[in-house]
């Protein structure tokens, strides 16, 4: 009947809208990470953990790396060794990220920044010897237990030369 077709069209339309929200959340995460990976004001190489650092040191930022008004180092995790480093952070796209209700019902993104040595045998860190892979997983809502959760992802590689 006409009513069944209408209901299916509404559901399909809503699904497309939520998919678009999740995609644009992933895009926002990639843009944030790209900016801080390449721009890195005040940091020698990158705002994220770099190979050879391994653990946080004085050159690694504790604060000041912001996107959407949020200070990323307050909620990121990091690990590094001699050949690679990984920094992961979550960014809320809520109008008021401090409000638990706004947070759960708003889009968010989880971003992983992987810095990997080019294998040329030289383990002394210098800009231009590292390849960066950015993985951004955008969600239409931050409530991971919701059956309405939609996820879209983007991967971007940067040759830091």
């Amino acid at each position: 009947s006409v009513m069944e077709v209408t209901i299916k069209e509404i559901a399909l339309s809503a699904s497309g809208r939520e998919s678009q929200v999740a995609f644009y959340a992933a895009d926002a995460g990639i843009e944030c990470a790209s900016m801080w990976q390449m721009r890195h004001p005040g940091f020698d190489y990158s705002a994220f953990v770099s190979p050879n650092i391994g653990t946080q040191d004085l050159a690694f930022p504790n604060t000041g790396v912001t996107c959407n008004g949020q200070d990323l180092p307050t909620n990121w995790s990091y690990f590094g060794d001699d050949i690679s480093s990984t920094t992961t952070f979550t960014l809320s796209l809520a109008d008021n990220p401090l409000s638990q209700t706004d947070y759960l019902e708003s889009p968010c993104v989880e971003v992983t920044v992987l810095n990997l040595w080019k294998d040329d045998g030289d383990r002394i860190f210098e800009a231009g010897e590292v390849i960066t892979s950015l993985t951004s997983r955008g969600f239409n809502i931050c409530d991971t237990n919701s059956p309405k959760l939609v996820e879209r992802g983007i991967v971007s590689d940067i040759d830091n030369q």
Side-chain angles (χ1 to χ4, degrees):
S1 81
V2 173
M3 186 59 135
E4 289 176 1
V5 171
T6 302
I7 290 172
K8 288 180 182 180
E9 287 179 354
I10 291 171
L12 182 60
S13 174
S15 173
R17 182 183 67 240
E18 296 306 312
S19 178
Q20 184 178 19
V21 168
F23 175 80
Y24 282 112
D27 184 56
I30 284 285
E31 292 299 321
C32 170
S34 295
M35 181 193 75
W36 284 104
Q37 178 68 20
M38 293 186 285
R39 183 175 143 213
H40 54 78
F43 307 113
D44 289 339
Y45 171 70
S46 167
F48 303 108
V49 163
S50 300
N52 268 357
I53 291 178
T55 58
Q56 190 168 2
D57 69 3
L58 296 176
F60 188 64
N62 291 315
T63 187
V65 179
T66 61
C67 287
N68 196 37
Q70 297 164 61
D71 197 21
L72 300 181
T74 61
N75 74 353
W76 67 18
S77 62
Y78 55 87
F79 173 78
D81 58 26
D82 288 344
I83 61 169
S84 69
S85 65
T86 304
T87 304
T88 303
F89 64 88
T90 302
L91 179 64
S92 169
L93 302 175
D95 291 333
N96 181 5
L98 299 179
S99 164
Q100 185 67 12
T101 303
D102 280 358
Y103 175 79
L104 289 176
E105 296 174 359
S106 295
C108 62
V109 60
E110 180 181 283
V111 179
T112 301
V113 179
L114 171 65
N115 286 316
L116 184 65
W117 280 111
K118 290 182 182 178
D119 191 10
D120 62 0
D122 181 12
R123 298 293 182 219
I124 299 170
F125 182 78
E126 293 178 22
E129 296 180 356
V130 172
I131 296 173
T132 300
S133 179
L134 307 174
T135 304
S136 183
R137 298 172 50 213
F139 304 94
N140 64 326
I141 54 176
C142 291
D143 184 357
T144 57
N145 295 319
S146 173
K148 297 178 181 178
L149 182 71
V150 176
E151 175 183 346
R152 295 293 176 261
I154 301 174
V155 176
S156 176
D157 294 328
I158 301 169
D159 191 352
N160 298 300
Q161 288 196 25

